[in-house]
Amino acid sequence: MTHCTNDTATLDRQAASAADGATPGVFALVGNPNVGKSVVFHRLTGTYVNVSNYPGTTVDVSRASARFERGAEVLDTPGVLALPARSDDEHATMRALLHENLRALVQVGDAKNLRRTLALSLVFADLGLPWVLALNMADEARARGVGVDLQGLSKAIGAPVIETVATSGEGLQRLPEALKHAYASQGPAHRFRYPDAVETVVMQAADWITARLPKTPLAPRGLAVLFLGRDAEVERWLAAHLGAEAQQLIALREAAESASPEPLSTALAQARAAEADRLAGAYLRKEVPKAKLLSTRLGRLAVHRIWGLPILLLVLFAVYEFVGVFGASFLVGLTEKNLFGEILNPAMEGFVRAHVPWQWVADLMVGQYGLWTMGMTYALALILPIVTTFFLAFGVLEDSGYFSRLSVLANRAFSLIGLNGRAVLPMVLGLGCVTMATLTTRILHTKRERVISTFLLALAIPCSAQLGVVMGMLSGISFSATLIWLSSVVLILLTSGWLAAKLIPGRRIPLVTEMPPMRLPVIGNVMKKTAGRLKWYLVEVIPLFLFGTLLMFVLDRVGALPWIIEKGEPLVTGWLGLPKEASAAFVMGFLRRDFGATGLFALGHQLSPLQTVVGMITITLFVPCIASVMIVIKEQGGKIAAAMLGLIMPTAFLVGGIFNMILKHFW
């Protein structure tokens, strides 16, 4: 049931907030995934967007100035399936709720799925912040014969409720007024009361927090509910502010759980789900639906047991063609060969050589390992076109509603290597560019999934440039040579994924995703999100390319690169059975994957068919290029990157040597 009760702590916080009115603060958009939150964000903020990692996480958030209030900001938090937080996205959202200077919350919900929306609303109602519920995609709900008694629901949850259609802007003009009403209506707090046994524990924990932390960013009741539900972010926040006293609160929770037939987190979630069902039943209006929408038919067809797979393959092929072929081949050809290779690099080299009197400085700028000729050329001419086409393609998949369906269809296959269906996109895009694909692992929910995917990309997924050289060399031998290479790479991919899933701590996260309706993407929204993501790339990633280039310059200057090539010759000639000149190809492969394959290709008739197959297997599994390594360091940290390299290099040579010994008996 819902009822009204006085909450003096909430009133005190509101009075303090009013006194601090000179600080505009932040309006946070919160809600489930795939409810149109990012479209609402862009409608409320305009064009300038700052996309970055949220502090303490690897999760992207968008932040921009609000159009409707001077000086205020809008924060687009990651979509949450539920609170307390379990996934990385939910942890980032919870950190924002605890650490941002929040003025109010705007919960964006799906008007077609009121029960799911309200289960989350009941958590926000306890947090003690002014909040508004915006039921988005109201046009799609109306087309399905679904309506909501807005006034009745507003009274029941104690917050303004508005209907919106973010794609057209409908209803969003009412949001500023609704926020004003949210401030005014915060008098007696409307809150959901849990079953008596659970409610008693909630009140005890809330009173305990109030006595020790009279001023908190969120209401003590909301903190108590999340703490009792084992939200790790709230536990860390309370431990940081309470010190050793936090153990008393933990003891309270453990005592309550020992006296309960089920975990408190389960009891809290079940009570909210039951109340959400009751509210939805009371305030939903069923109307006669219109004819079945084309989007509904397309959505069902996309996951059909017969037609779903061909559509999936067609979409993946289209994405690969757009990103891997158009982006990685055509656009990169224009930028790397024509723009940089024929115009910018010669001009820059001529200018530097003519005006810089110190040879080593000139080499640092425009030499073989120059900051411009290698670092900026890689970042702008090679990677930027690929990243841009990927961000565009991903924005279209995201906005159209197909990405959720793609994940569902691929889920069973990826469960074999400890991942869920969301990993399909990074793996397929790795065939275009492993560096860019490593960036896309951010769409995965947990660090464990991102580590496994990054490792497999670095080990066994050849980029399009390398793949072209490899296939060209093998096709000149025989089809069986190509089949041996392909079988070895797939075997290593599956084996390594299976082992990584067993050895890396944690468990596979089941795929839980909302199936949004299929719809035409909003081009403006796709372009704005792409622009924000590209800004992040230019600001945060390019310095990594320059650092990697500087490292190669230093290694070359001190003679380390020739030394590495010389020391690698016995391993290459003895274990792999290749000519000693092949040692240099592996070092070049670290600069760019296709350089390594091309180095072996240049040996031409010096390689027998057996040596060609062994060389192609080894170079495919060898370390990714320096650009990919820099991105792995950026995304996973230096220790994990070093561990990956420490596994990949021995694995590549071990597998190559084993195939060398086996194939000697058959070739």
Side-chain angles (χ1 to χ4, degrees):
M1 62 180 287
T2 53
H3 70 124
C4 298
T5 180
N6 290 321
D7 188 337
T8 55
T10 299
L11 291 174
D12 290 341
R13 277 191 303 280
Q14 289 156 7
S17 177
D20 294 336
T23 303
V26 176
F27 295 93
L29 298 182
V30 293
N32 298 120
N34 303 315
V35 294
K37 205 153 40 63
S38 61
V39 187
V40 173
F41 173 80
H42 289 297
R43 288 280 181 181
L44 296 178
T45 58
T47 56
Y48 178 78
V49 180
N50 180 20
V51 180
S52 61
N53 290 157
Y54 197 75
T57 75
T58 57
V59 177
D60 287 343
V61 299
S62 299
R63 185 191 301 267
S65 299
R67 279 177 166 175
F68 56 87
E69 182 174 324
R70 185 184 299 274
E73 287 187 318
V74 179
L75 182 72
D76 184 13
T77 64
V80 297
L81 293 171
L83 290 175
R86 297 291 183 263
S87 71
D88 288 358
D89 286 349
E90 291 163 355
H91 280 287
T93 294
M94 197 64 241
R95 285 177 67 86
L97 295 178
L98 286 166
H99 299 288
E100 293 284 347
N101 176 30
L102 294 179
R103 283 273 303 282
L105 302 179
V106 178
Q107 182 191 359
V108 182
D110 185 351
K112 306 183 303 301
N113 197 338
L114 190 60
R115 287 177 174 82
R116 181 171 180 255
T117 297
L118 290 175
L120 199 54
S121 300
L122 294 171
V123 177
F124 296 137
D126 277 332
L127 297 183
L129 292 167
W131 67 291
V132 171
L133 174 57
L135 294 175
N136 195 36
M137 298 182 282
D139 55 337
E140 296 174 2
R142 291 192 291 265
R144 289 162 174 76
V146 176
V148 179
D149 177 0
L150 301 179
Q151 289 187 338
L153 181 61
S154 176
K155 291 179 181 178
I157 65 175
V161 181
I162 61 175
E163 286 185 333
T164 61
V165 181
T167 53
S168 65
E170 176 188 332
L172 290 177
Q173 70 278 5
R174 295 194 293 272
L175 183 59
E177 187 62 32
L179 286 169
K180 292 179 183 178
H181 182 66
Y183 303 139
S185 65
Q186 285 283 293
H190 292 65
R191 71 179 181 222
F192 161 62
R193 182 180 176 87
Y194 290 93
D196 290 343
V198 178
E199 180 68 23
T200 299
V201 180
V202 170
M203 293 302 296
Q204 288 176 347
D207 291 343
W208 191 93
I209 293 172
T210 301
R212 290 158 179 80
L213 295 173
K215 293 182 179 180
T216 58
L218 305 178
R221 177 181 176 86
L223 292 173
V225 168
L226 292 168
F227 173 81
L228 294 173
R230 295 187 177 273
D231 187 294
E233 293 297 335
V234 171
E235 288 200 33
R236 278 192 284 268
W237 188 90
L238 288 171
H241 287 77
L242 292 169
E245 283 190 290
Q247 291 300 318
Q248 300 175 29
L249 196 57
I250 294 173
L252 172 65
R253 182 177 64 192
E254 291 177 348
E257 288 197 332
S258 64
S260 173
E262 59 186 355
L264 280 176
S265 58
T266 302
L268 291 163
Q270 289 178 344
R272 286 194 295 268
E275 179 65 5
D277 283 341
R278 188 193 72 79
L279 290 171
Y283 299 107
L284 268 179
R285 297 195 310 267
K286 294 291 184 179
E287 302 169 355
V288 178
K290 298 179 181 179
K292 188 175 290 186
L293 297 174
L294 175 62
S295 61
T296 303
R297 294 196 291 269
L298 288 175
R300 291 179 178 175
L301 195 63
V303 292
H304 192 272
R305 60 189 182 89
I306 296 176
W307 296 108
L309 182 58
I311 293 174
L312 168 66
L313 295 176
L314 183 63
V315 169
L316 290 179
F317 177 75
V319 171
Y320 175 73
E321 283 291 311
F322 181 64
V323 180
V325 177
F326 176 71
S329 296
F330 177 72
L331 291 182
V332 168
L334 291 178
T335 55
E336 185 185 26
K337 295 179 182 178
N338 300 106
L339 179 60
F340 275 74
E342 298 176 4
I343 301 174
L344 295 182
N345 284 358
M348 178 65 75
E349 185 170 0
F351 177 83
V352 171
R353 298 291 184 192
H355 294 85
V356 176
W358 303 283
Q359 181 67 33
W360 73 270
V361 176
D363 289 342
L364 176 62
M365 294 299 298
V366 295
Q368 182 180 5
Y369 306 111
L371 295 177
W372 176 266
T373 48
M374 181 178 172
M376 294 302 291
T377 299
Y378 272 26
L380 299 179
L382 182 65
I383 304 300
L384 183 60
I386 305 173
V387 169
T388 302
T389 51
F390 166 73
F391 285 155
L392 287 170
F394 183 65
V396 169
L397 290 177
E398 198 176 32
D399 264 34
S400 68
Y402 185 75
F403 182 65
S404 297
R405 291 164 174 81
L406 185 154
S407 303
V408 169
L409 289 168
N411 188 54
R412 180 174 294 180
F414 279 86
S415 66
L416 298 174
I417 53 176
L419 301 171
N420 64 42
R422 291 178 69 89
V424 64
L425 202 55
M427 291 300 173
V428 170
L429 293 174
L431 294 171
C433 175
V434 172
T435 304
M436 175 270 300
T438 304
L439 290 173
T440 70
T441 59
R442 289 182 168 216
I443 67 176
L444 305 179
H445 286 310
T446 67
K447 183 175 181 63
R448 178 179 181 272
E449 292 174 317
R450 291 193 289 273
V451 169
I452 294 175
S453 298
T454 300
F455 174 67
L456 295 180
L457 283 167
L459 173 66
I461 303 295
C463 66
S464 59
Q466 184 189 53
L467 186 61
V469 178
V470 170
M471 297 304 291
M473 288 190 68
L474 295 174
S475 62
I477 300 174
S478 65
F479 175 74
S480 60
T482 305
L483 191 60
I484 292 171
W485 170 83
L486 180 62
S487 301
S488 67
V489 172
V490 172
L491 177 64
I492 293 301
L493 177 69
L494 295 177
T495 304
S496 301
W498 182 80
L499 287 173
K502 295 292 184 183
L503 296 176
I504 297 177
R507 62 183 181 87
R508 176 180 176 269
I509 303 298
L511 181 66
V512 180
T513 185
E514 177 73 5
M515 282 288 198
M518 295 289 290
R519 62 177 75 91
L520 285 175
V522 180
I523 300 303
N525 187 43
V526 172
M527 297 302 293
K528 288 174 182 176
K529 286 195 287 188
T530 299
R533 289 162 175 165
L534 285 176
K535 176 179 178 290
W536 163 82
Y537 170 80
L538 294 171
V539 171
E540 295 196 28
V541 177
I542 285 181
L544 294 175
F545 284 82
L546 297 178
F547 175 78
T549 303
L550 179 62
L551 177 62
M552 296 301 298
F553 176 82
V554 172
L555 290 176
D556 182 57
R557 282 279 159 166
V558 300
L561 289 182
W563 180 83
I564 292 172
I565 293 173
E566 181 183 349
K567 294 300 180 182
E569 287 179 1
L571 178 64
V572 170
T573 57
W575 176 245
L576 296 180
L578 300 176
K580 67 176 184 178
E581 292 82 2
S583 180
F586 289 101
V587 175
M588 294 302 294
F590 183 59
L591 299 180
R592 269 183 57 174
R593 275 189 157 185
D594 55 315
F595 284 2
T598 303
L600 293 178
F601 182 78
L603 295 177
H605 297 297
Q606 296 184 49
L607 297 179
S608 67
L610 168 62
Q611 290 175 321
T612 300
V613 173
V614 171
M616 290 300 100
I617 291 173
T618 309
I619 204 70
T620 301
L621 301 177
F622 194 56
V623 293
C625 64
I626 190 170
S628 296
V629 172
M630 291 296 104
I631 295 301
V632 174
I633 294 173
K634 165 67 178 173
E635 295 296 297
Q636 303 297 340
K639 290 183 179 179
I640 292 179
M644 286 185 183
L645 292 180
L647 286 172
I648 290 172
M649 285 190 285
T651 298
F653 283 102
L654 175 64
V655 172
I658 290 173
F659 270 89
N660 178 42
M661 291 189 294
I662 293 174
L663 293 177
K664 280 180 179 178
H665 297 287
F666 300 97
W667 219 305

